Amino acid sequence: MSDKRITVVGGGAWGTALAIQAVRTGADVELVLRDRALAERIDTSGENDVYLPGIKLPEALRATVAIDGLRESSAVLLVTPAQHLRSTLSKLAPHWPETLPAIICAKGIEKKTGALMAQVVNETLGDVPLAVLSGPTFAQEVAKGLPAAITLACSDRNLGKDLVELIGTSAFRPYFSTDVVGVEVAGAIKNVLAIASGVVAGLELGDNARAALITRGLAEMSRLAVAMGGRIETMMGLAGLGDLTLTCTGTLSRNYTFGFALGQGSKAEDILAERRSVTEGVHTAASITAVASKYGIEMPICSAVDQVANHDADLRSTINALLQRPFRDELETGK
């Protein structure tokens, strides 16, 4: 038995990949799922055939639906979809020791409240030790052990350094930051921008357009992050530009492929109906308008994604409206 134990809550592709990575650190690892049948199948077959098919899971990884093992854990990785995090934590709260660190691995903004995930944790678990893990990582590649770098943000520097050591390996390299807000905002908004990038590809608007979209999208992300208390430097790092570049160019991104299908003429509701995995950018796009308005920030690309993905706006008309916006100074930092 290892002297450290890591619990991963959420049995989707990313949760499963992080559980595999946690085993590589030498920890005893428990993967907590809602689906009892899937948990039993994972333990029997050694594969998550629903969310991460074709990847052999290590024997040391145990799948379960039980949540009574939290008190023995060194840390808990929260990998449930952003819109379900509050309900999941409400069930975990009675079992959660006040000294147990929560590492948020979900990316998004809560649709009903406009809250970032750290706020959701604070409201459900109280003042527990907290960190955020975010950056340019596709689940399939992490599961295979391919090299990756990621940001771990924590306001407590000593705790953050300990968590980096807890989950890091030579091929999975966490870089420490104290900018929790900036990392969260970047992780949420890049999913929305990835949808827009997929649309550009689906409509065959060209590489010039995609490069422009990524750059102007980064400007939108930066404006909101700074307004909410994040740091501009974070937007240039792994959690910002790194993750944005990956999800706006990589076909393994659910948000990018959703946008691509939109660009090819499919309806949003039809694309989502065919998917088992959550496309977080759709939900976050719906939250952006209210959050941006609250802080007085203009985010035309994210707003356009919301209109198309959530309100069935005409795609071509929406793009034309973006292209007809007034010219502006590139480095303008106002609203």
Side-chain angles (χ1 to χ4, degrees):
M1 296 288 289
S2 171
D3 61 353
K4 64 178 180 180
R5 177 174 176 174
I6 296 175
T7 299
V8 179
V9 178
W14 187 220
T16 306
L18 284 173
I20 295 171
Q21 166 57 28
V23 170
R24 296 187 184 118
T25 70
D28 292 325
V29 180
E30 205 166 61
L31 178 63
V32 180
L33 302 90
R34 292 184 302 167
D35 187 335
R36 184 178 299 275
L38 179 57
E40 293 174 351
R41 204 156 65 244
I42 288 173
D43 274 346
T44 301
S45 67
E47 180 184 354
N48 187 336
D49 59 353
V50 175
Y51 297 106
L52 203 61
I55 301 293
K56 184 66 176 176
L57 306 182
E59 292 183 3
L61 193 163
R62 175 174 171 262
T64 180
V65 294
I67 56 175
D68 53 3
L70 294 181
R71 296 191 181 278
E72 288 75 43
S73 294
S74 305
V76 178
L77 276 60
L78 300 172
V79 206
T80 54
Q83 306 308 318
H84 301 293
L85 184 62
R86 188 180 295 272
S87 60
T88 298
L89 292 180
S90 296
K91 296 175 183 176
L92 295 178
H95 307 273
W96 198 289
E98 61 182 11
T99 58
L100 176 61
I103 304 177
I104 300 169
C105 306
K107 300 175 182 179
I109 298 174
E110 194 172 45
K111 192 172 179 179
K112 292 181 180 179
T113 66
L116 296 173
M117 298 299 98
Q119 182 180 341
V120 174
V121 170
N122 290 148
E123 291 174 355
T124 51
L125 299 182
D127 191 23
V128 299
L130 184 149
V132 174
L133 190 70
S134 186
T137 46
F138 283 146
Q140 292 92 332
E141 294 188 6
V142 170
K144 293 175 181 177
L146 298 177
I150 195 165
T151 300
L152 186 140
C154 182
S155 58
D156 182 330
R157 182 173 292 275
N158 291 331
L159 172 62
K161 295 291 188 179
D162 288 343
L163 293 177
V164 164
E165 294 296 329
L166 179 72
I167 66 172
T169 58
S170 59
F172 186 82
R173 304 183 57 81
Y175 283 75
F176 176 70
S177 169
T178 57
D179 186 10
V180 174
V181 170
V183 169
E184 279 221 81
V185 172
I189 295 178
K190 65 90 186 180
N191 284 331
V192 182
L193 298 172
I195 293 174
S197 182
V199 169
V200 168
L203 286 171
E204 298 183 352
L205 297 181
D207 291 335
N208 292 346
R210 179 161 62 180
L213 176 115
I214 292 172
T215 309
R216 296 311 302 162
L218 180 61
E220 290 189 18
M221 177 193 294
S222 301
R223 287 197 295 270
L224 185 61
V226 171
M228 294 180 71
R231 297 199 297 268
I232 191 68
E233 295 86 357
T234 300
M235 301 304 105
M236 302 302 116
L238 291 165
L241 182 59
D243 206 1
L244 178 63
T245 302
L246 180 69
T247 51
C248 283
T249 59
T251 56
L252 291 176
S253 165
R254 292 189 300 270
N255 295 285
Y256 177 89
T257 56
F258 173 83
F260 185 87
L262 284 177
Q264 292 277 291
S266 298
K267 292 288 187 181
E269 59 184 13
D270 295 334
I271 304 168
L272 296 174
E274 296 174 354
R275 297 185 167 198
R276 295 202 59 165
S277 298
V278 175
T279 306
E280 288 285 9
V282 176
H283 301 292
T284 300
S287 308
I288 287 296
T289 302
V291 174
S293 176
K294 175 183 175 182
Y295 287 93
I297 300 300
E298 193 176 26
M299 302 183 70
I301 299 173
C302 290
S303 178
V305 171
D306 178 39
Q307 290 301 311
V308 171
N310 293 305
H311 301 286
D312 201 28
D314 179 73
L315 189 56
R316 289 286 185 180
S317 297
T318 303
I319 292 173
N320 286 338
L322 282 174
L323 295 176
Q324 291 169 13
R325 284 171 52 81
F327 300 127
R328 62 185 298 173
D329 291 351
E330 182 178 15
L331 300 182
E332 185 178 345
T333 58
K335 300 173 182 179

